[in-house]
PDB file of all heavy atoms in Angstrom:
ATOM      1  N   GLU A 420      94.316  81.712  79.084  1.00 97.00           N
ATOM      2  CA  GLU A 420      95.523  80.914  79.341  1.00 97.00           C
ATOM      3  C   GLU A 420      95.953  80.146  78.095  1.00 97.00           C
ATOM      4  O   GLU A 420      97.137  80.119  77.742  1.00 97.00           O
ATOM      5  CB  GLU A 420      95.259  79.946  80.490  1.00 97.00           C
ATOM      6  CG  GLU A 420      95.117  80.637  81.843  1.00 97.00           C
ATOM      7  CD  GLU A 420      94.763  79.671  82.956  1.00 97.00           C
ATOM      8  OE1 GLU A 420      94.637  78.458  82.670  1.00 97.00           O
ATOM      9  OE2 GLU A 420      94.609  80.121  84.110  1.00 97.00           O
ATOM     10  N   GLN A 421      94.990  79.530  77.421  1.00 96.00           N
ATOM     11  CA  GLN A 421      95.320  78.779  76.207  1.00 96.00           C
ATOM     12  C   GLN A 421      95.853  79.696  75.112  1.00 96.00           C
ATOM     13  O   GLN A 421      96.779  79.332  74.375  1.00 96.00           O
ATOM     14  CB  GLN A 421      94.084  78.019  75.714  1.00 96.00           C
ATOM     15  CG  GLN A 421      93.643  76.894  76.633  1.00 96.00           C
ATOM     16  CD  GLN A 421      94.746  75.882  76.877  1.00 96.00           C
ATOM     17  OE1 GLN A 421      95.263  75.764  77.996  1.00 96.00           O
ATOM     18  NE2 GLN A 421      95.129  75.169  75.840  1.00 96.00           N
ATOM     19  N   ALA A 422      95.277  80.887  74.976  1.00 97.00           N
ATOM     20  CA  ALA A 422      95.730  81.836  73.958  1.00 97.00           C
ATOM     21  C   ALA A 422      97.177  82.238  74.204  1.00 97.00           C
ATOM     22  O   ALA A 422      97.990  82.282  73.274  1.00 97.00           O
ATOM     23  CB  ALA A 422      94.827  83.068  73.953  1.00 97.00           C
ATOM     24  N   VAL A 423      97.502  82.535  75.460  1.00 97.00           N
ATOM     25  CA  VAL A 423      98.871  82.939  75.789  1.00 97.00           C
ATOM     26  C   VAL A 423      99.845  81.779  75.556  1.00 97.00           C
ATOM     27  O   VAL A 423     100.898  81.943  74.936  1.00 97.00           O
ATOM     28  CB  VAL A 423      98.947  83.437  77.244  1.00 97.00           C
ATOM     29  CG1 VAL A 423     100.403  83.563  77.698  1.00 97.00           C
ATOM     30  CG2 VAL A 423      98.234  84.781  77.379  1.00 97.00           C
ATOM     31  N   ILE A 424      99.489  80.598  76.041  1.00 97.00           N
ATOM     32  CA  ILE A 424     100.389  79.442  75.917  1.00 97.00           C
ATOM     33  C   ILE A 424     100.631  79.088  74.451  1.00 97.00           C
ATOM     34  O   ILE A 424     101.778  78.958  73.999  1.00 97.00           O
ATOM     35  CB  ILE A 424      99.804  78.228  76.670  1.00 97.00           C
ATOM     36  CG1 ILE A 424      99.828  78.472  78.180  1.00 97.00           C
ATOM     37  CG2 ILE A 424     100.588  76.954  76.339  1.00 97.00           C
ATOM     38  CD1 ILE A 424      99.046  77.439  78.979  1.00 97.00           C
ATOM     39  N   GLU A 425      99.550  78.958  73.681  1.00 97.00           N
ATOM     40  CA  GLU A 425      99.665  78.486  72.306  1.00 97.00           C
ATOM     41  C   GLU A 425     100.273  79.541  71.377  1.00 97.00           C
ATOM     42  O   GLU A 425     101.158  79.234  70.568  1.00 97.00           O
ATOM     43  CB  GLU A 425      98.287  78.058  71.797  1.00 97.00           C
ATOM     44  CG  GLU A 425      97.719  76.841  72.537  1.00 97.00           C
ATOM     45  CD  GLU A 425      96.264  76.588  72.212  1.00 97.00           C
ATOM     46  OE1 GLU A 425      95.725  77.299  71.331  1.00 97.00           O
ATOM     47  OE2 GLU A 425      95.658  75.702  72.856  1.00 97.00           O
ATOM     48  N   GLN A 426      99.806  80.791  71.484  1.00 97.00           N
ATOM     49  CA  GLN A 426     100.299  81.812  70.559  1.00 97.00           C
ATOM     50  C   GLN A 426     101.722  82.231  70.900  1.00 97.00           C
ATOM     51  O   GLN A 426     102.529  82.503  69.999  1.00 97.00           O
ATOM     52  CB  GLN A 426      99.376  83.033  70.587  1.00 97.00           C
ATOM     53  CG  GLN A 426      99.637  84.019  69.455  1.00 97.00           C
ATOM     54  CD  GLN A 426      99.421  83.385  68.078  1.00 97.00           C
ATOM     55  OE1 GLN A 426      98.490  82.629  67.877  1.00 97.00           O
ATOM     56  NE2 GLN A 426     100.307  83.703  67.129  1.00 97.00           N
ATOM     57  N   LEU A 427     102.054  82.254  72.174  1.00 96.00           N
ATOM     58  CA  LEU A 427     103.417  82.616  72.548  1.00 96.00           C
ATOM     59  C   LEU A 427     104.413  81.558  72.061  1.00 96.00           C
ATOM     60  O   LEU A 427     105.531  81.888  71.650  1.00 96.00           O
ATOM     61  CB  LEU A 427     103.512  82.788  74.063  1.00 96.00           C
ATOM     62  CG  LEU A 427     104.593  83.754  74.550  1.00 96.00           C
ATOM     63  CD1 LEU A 427     104.424  85.126  73.920  1.00 96.00           C
ATOM     64  CD2 LEU A 427     104.567  83.862  76.060  1.00 96.00           C
ATOM     65  N   LYS A 428     103.993  80.324  72.092  1.00 96.00           N
ATOM     66  CA  LYS A 428     104.846  79.253  71.551  1.00 96.00           C
ATOM     67  C   LYS A 428     105.132  79.499  70.075  1.00 96.00           C
ATOM     68  O   LYS A 428     106.277  79.362  69.616  1.00 96.00           O
ATOM     69  CB  LYS A 428     104.154  77.899  71.739  1.00 96.00           C
ATOM     70  CG  LYS A 428     104.949  76.719  71.231  1.00 96.00           C
ATOM     71  CD  LYS A 428     104.179  75.413  71.462  1.00 96.00           C
ATOM     72  CE  LYS A 428     104.955  74.222  70.918  1.00 96.00           C
ATOM     73  NZ  LYS A 428     104.195  72.954  71.110  1.00 96.00           N
ATOM     74  N   GLN A 429     104.113  79.908  69.331  1.00 96.00           N
ATOM     75  CA  GLN A 429     104.296  80.172  67.902  1.00 96.00           C
ATOM     76  C   GLN A 429     105.139  81.421  67.679  1.00 96.00           C
ATOM     77  O   GLN A 429     106.015  81.442  66.803  1.00 96.00           O
ATOM     78  CB  GLN A 429     102.930  80.335  67.236  1.00 96.00           C
ATOM     79  CG  GLN A 429     102.993  80.487  65.725  1.00 96.00           C
ATOM     80  CD  GLN A 429     101.615  80.461  65.087  1.00 96.00           C
ATOM     81  OE1 GLN A 429     100.705  79.784  65.575  1.00 96.00           O
ATOM     82  NE2 GLN A 429     101.454  81.203  64.008  1.00 96.00           N
ATOM     83  N   LEU A 430     104.918  82.471  68.462  1.00 96.00           N
ATOM     84  CA  LEU A 430     105.686  83.701  68.317  1.00 96.00           C
ATOM     85  C   LEU A 430     107.163  83.479  68.655  1.00 96.00           C
ATOM     86  O   LEU A 430     108.046  84.041  68.006  1.00 96.00           O
ATOM     87  CB  LEU A 430     105.096  84.796  69.219  1.00 96.00           C
ATOM     88  CG  LEU A 430     103.721  85.345  68.816  1.00 96.00           C
ATOM     89  CD1 LEU A 430     103.208  86.313  69.857  1.00 96.00           C
ATOM     90  CD2 LEU A 430     103.779  86.018  67.441  1.00 96.00           C
ATOM     91  N   ARG A 431     107.413  82.672  69.662  1.00 96.00           N
ATOM     92  CA  ARG A 431     108.802  82.355  70.013  1.00 96.00           C
ATOM     93  C   ARG A 431     109.500  81.621  68.867  1.00 96.00           C
ATOM     94  O   ARG A 431     110.672  81.882  68.565  1.00 96.00           O
ATOM     95  CB  ARG A 431     108.840  81.510  71.293  1.00 96.00           C
ATOM     96  CG  ARG A 431     108.565  82.302  72.558  1.00 96.00           C
ATOM     97  CD  ARG A 431     108.460  81.382  73.774  1.00 96.00           C
ATOM     98  NE  ARG A 431     108.428  82.137  75.022  1.00 96.00           N
ATOM     99  CZ  ARG A 431     108.296  81.579  76.224  1.00 96.00           C
ATOM    100  NH1 ARG A 431     108.200  80.255  76.334  1.00 96.00           N
ATOM    101  NH2 ARG A 431     108.285  82.336  77.310  1.00 96.00           N
ATOM    102  N   ALA A 432     108.761  80.720  68.242  1.00 96.00           N
ATOM    103  CA  ALA A 432     109.345  79.982  67.115  1.00 96.00           C
ATOM    104  C   ALA A 432     109.590  80.908  65.929  1.00 96.00           C
ATOM    105  O   ALA A 432     110.631  80.827  65.264  1.00 96.00           O
ATOM    106  CB  ALA A 432     108.412  78.844  66.720  1.00 96.00           C
ATOM    107  N   ASN A 433     108.636  81.815  65.663  1.00 95.00           N
ATOM    108  CA  ASN A 433     108.773  82.724  64.522  1.00 95.00           C
ATOM    109  C   ASN A 433     109.940  83.705  64.698  1.00 95.00           C
ATOM    110  O   ASN A 433     110.639  84.025  63.739  1.00 95.00           O
ATOM    111  CB  ASN A 433     107.477  83.513  64.315  1.00 95.00           C
ATOM    112  CG  ASN A 433     106.325  82.625  63.887  1.00 95.00           C
ATOM    113  OD1 ASN A 433     106.521  81.474  63.492  1.00 95.00           O
ATOM    114  ND2 ASN A 433     105.114  83.142  63.982  1.00 95.00           N
ATOM    115  N   LEU A 439     110.384  85.446  75.055  1.00 97.00           N
ATOM    116  CA  LEU A 439     109.197  86.285  74.903  1.00 97.00           C
ATOM    117  C   LEU A 439     108.212  85.998  76.026  1.00 97.00           C
ATOM    118  O   LEU A 439     107.970  84.839  76.384  1.00 97.00           O
ATOM    119  CB  LEU A 439     108.513  86.026  73.559  1.00 97.00           C
ATOM    120  CG  LEU A 439     109.041  86.737  72.316  1.00 97.00           C
ATOM    121  CD1 LEU A 439     108.205  86.327  71.107  1.00 97.00           C
ATOM    122  CD2 LEU A 439     109.016  88.243  72.496  1.00 97.00           C
ATOM    123  N   SER A 701     101.506  92.114  64.731  1.00 96.00           N
ATOM    124  CA  SER A 701     102.076  90.770  64.562  1.00 96.00           C
ATOM    125  C   SER A 701     102.334  90.069  65.888  1.00 96.00           C
ATOM    126  O   SER A 701     102.631  88.881  65.910  1.00 96.00           O
ATOM    127  CB  SER A 701     103.387  90.854  63.775  1.00 96.00           C
ATOM    128  OG  SER A 701     104.342  91.635  64.473  1.00 96.00           O
ATOM    129  N   GLY A 702     102.214  90.802  67.011  1.00 96.00           N
ATOM    130  CA  GLY A 702     102.464  90.209  68.316  1.00 96.00           C
ATOM    131  C   GLY A 702     101.217  90.093  69.173  1.00 96.00           C
ATOM    132  O   GLY A 702     100.504  89.094  69.140  1.00 96.00           O
ATOM    133  N   ALA A 703     100.923  91.148  69.930  1.00 97.00           N
ATOM    134  CA  ALA A 703      99.821  91.099  70.895  1.00 97.00           C
ATOM    135  C   ALA A 703      98.472  90.830  70.224  1.00 97.00           C
ATOM    136  O   ALA A 703      97.625  90.120  70.773  1.00 97.00           O
ATOM    137  CB  ALA A 703      99.772  92.400  71.690  1.00 97.00           C
ATOM    138  N   LEU A 704      98.262  91.415  69.036  1.00 98.00           N
ATOM    139  CA  LEU A 704      96.991  91.197  68.336  1.00 98.00           C
ATOM    140  C   LEU A 704      96.762  89.720  68.054  1.00 98.00           C
ATOM    141  O   LEU A 704      95.618  89.237  68.114  1.00 98.00           O
ATOM    142  CB  LEU A 704      96.977  91.989  67.027  1.00 98.00           C
ATOM    143  CG  LEU A 704      95.756  91.779  66.113  1.00 98.00           C
ATOM    144  CD1 LEU A 704      94.484  92.255  66.777  1.00 98.00           C
ATOM    145  CD2 LEU A 704      95.955  92.488  64.779  1.00 98.00           C
ATOM    146  N   ARG A 705      97.814  88.967  67.756  1.00 97.00           N
ATOM    147  CA  ARG A 705      97.663  87.544  67.440  1.00 97.00           C
ATOM    148  C   ARG A 705      97.259  86.746  68.680  1.00 97.00           C
ATOM    149  O   ARG A 705      96.546  85.744  68.578  1.00 97.00           O
ATOM    150  CB  ARG A 705      98.956  86.993  66.838  1.00 97.00           C
ATOM    151  CG  ARG A 705      99.413  87.736  65.585  1.00 97.00           C
ATOM    152  CD  ARG A 705      98.304  87.824  64.542  1.00 97.00           C
ATOM    153  NE  ARG A 705      98.614  88.735  63.462  1.00 97.00           N
ATOM    154  CZ  ARG A 705      98.916  88.344  62.232  1.00 97.00           C
ATOM    155  NH1 ARG A 705      98.973  87.065  61.944  1.00 97.00           N
ATOM    156  NH2 ARG A 705      99.150  89.241  61.293  1.00 97.00           N
ATOM    157  N   VAL A 706      97.720  87.189  69.843  1.00 98.00           N
ATOM    158  CA  VAL A 706      97.290  86.536  71.090  1.00 98.00           C
ATOM    159  C   VAL A 706      95.794  86.776  71.308  1.00 98.00           C
ATOM    160  O   VAL A 706      95.046  85.867  71.665  1.00 98.00           O
ATOM    161  CB  VAL A 706      98.104  87.057  72.295  1.00 98.00           C
ATOM    162  CG1 VAL A 706      97.612  86.415  73.591  1.00 98.00           C
ATOM    163  CG2 VAL A 706      99.585  86.776  72.103  1.00 98.00           C
ATOM    164  N   TYR A 707      95.349  88.003  71.063  1.00 98.00           N
ATOM    165  CA  TYR A 707      93.928  88.327  71.198  1.00 98.00           C
ATOM    166  C   TYR A 707      93.089  87.537  70.200  1.00 98.00           C
ATOM    167  O   TYR A 707      92.017  87.014  70.535  1.00 98.00           O
ATOM    168  CB  TYR A 707      93.718  89.826  70.986  1.00 98.00           C
ATOM    169  CG  TYR A 707      92.274  90.269  71.037  1.00 98.00           C
ATOM    170  CD1 TYR A 707      91.527  90.162  72.206  1.00 98.00           C
ATOM    171  CD2 TYR A 707      91.645  90.802  69.913  1.00 98.00           C
ATOM    172  CE1 TYR A 707      90.203  90.587  72.253  1.00 98.00           C
ATOM    173  CE2 TYR A 707      90.329  91.232  69.951  1.00 98.00           C
ATOM    174  CZ  TYR A 707      89.609  91.120  71.125  1.00 98.00           C
ATOM    175  OH  TYR A 707      88.302  91.519  71.171  1.00 98.00           O
ATOM    176  N   SER A 708      93.580  87.432  68.981  1.00 97.00           N
ATOM    177  CA  SER A 708      92.873  86.665  67.964  1.00 97.00           C
ATOM    178  C   SER A 708      92.726  85.211  68.386  1.00 97.00           C
ATOM    179  O   SER A 708      91.663  84.606  68.211  1.00 97.00           O
ATOM    180  CB  SER A 708      93.618  86.759  66.631  1.00 97.00           C
ATOM    181  OG  SER A 708      92.972  86.006  65.638  1.00 97.00           O
ATOM    182  N   ARG A 709      93.774  84.638  68.960  1.00 97.00           N
ATOM    183  CA  ARG A 709      93.710  83.254  69.438  1.00 97.00           C
ATOM    184  C   ARG A 709      92.713  83.132  70.591  1.00 97.00           C
ATOM    185  O   ARG A 709      92.011  82.131  70.720  1.00 97.00           O
ATOM    186  CB  ARG A 709      95.108  82.802  69.872  1.00 97.00           C
ATOM    187  CG  ARG A 709      95.193  81.347  70.321  1.00 97.00           C
ATOM    188  CD  ARG A 709      94.946  80.389  69.145  1.00 97.00           C
ATOM    189  NE  ARG A 709      96.009  80.437  68.175  1.00 97.00           N
ATOM    190  CZ  ARG A 709      97.008  79.552  68.125  1.00 97.00           C
ATOM    191  NH1 ARG A 709      97.055  78.568  68.996  1.00 97.00           N
ATOM    192  NH2 ARG A 709      97.929  79.649  67.183  1.00 97.00           N
ATOM    193  N   TYR A 710      92.648  84.158  71.414  1.00 97.00           N
ATOM    194  CA  TYR A 710      91.660  84.170  72.501  1.00 97.00           C
ATOM    195  C   TYR A 710      90.243  84.108  71.946  1.00 97.00           C
ATOM    196  O   TYR A 710      89.402  83.340  72.436  1.00 97.00           O
ATOM    197  CB  TYR A 710      91.838  85.434  73.352  1.00 97.00           C
ATOM    198  CG  TYR A 710      90.744  85.642  74.385  1.00 97.00           C
ATOM    199  CD1 TYR A 710      90.724  84.901  75.572  1.00 97.00           C
ATOM    200  CD2 TYR A 710      89.720  86.561  74.169  1.00 97.00           C
ATOM    201  CE1 TYR A 710      89.717  85.085  76.510  1.00 97.00           C
ATOM    202  CE2 TYR A 710      88.716  86.755  75.102  1.00 97.00           C
ATOM    203  CZ  TYR A 710      88.711  86.012  76.277  1.00 97.00           C
ATOM    204  OH  TYR A 710      87.707  86.190  77.207  1.00 97.00           O
ATOM    205  N   ASP A 712      89.321  82.843  69.182  1.00 95.00           N
ATOM    206  CA  ASP A 712      89.088  81.514  68.601  1.00 95.00           C
ATOM    207  C   ASP A 712      88.409  80.599  69.623  1.00 95.00           C
ATOM    208  O   ASP A 712      87.498  79.840  69.282  1.00 95.00           O
ATOM    209  CB  ASP A 712      90.417  80.882  68.169  1.00 95.00           C
ATOM    210  CG  ASP A 712      90.955  81.482  66.875  1.00 95.00           C
ATOM    211  OD1 ASP A 712      90.169  82.108  66.148  1.00 95.00           O
ATOM    212  OD2 ASP A 712      92.157  81.329  66.618  1.00 95.00           O
TER     213      ASP A 712
END
Side-chain angles (χ1 to χ4, degrees):
E420 290 176 0
Q421 292 303 112
V423 167
I424 291 170
E425 294 169 5
Q426 192 61 41
L427 208 56
K428 181 180 178 181
Q429 185 172 328
L430 291 175
R431 285 174 170 178
N433 293 346
L439 277 180
S701 61
L704 175 64
R705 303 307 169 108
V706 178
Y707 177 65
S708 179
R709 183 67 68 98
Y710 172 77
D712 284 342

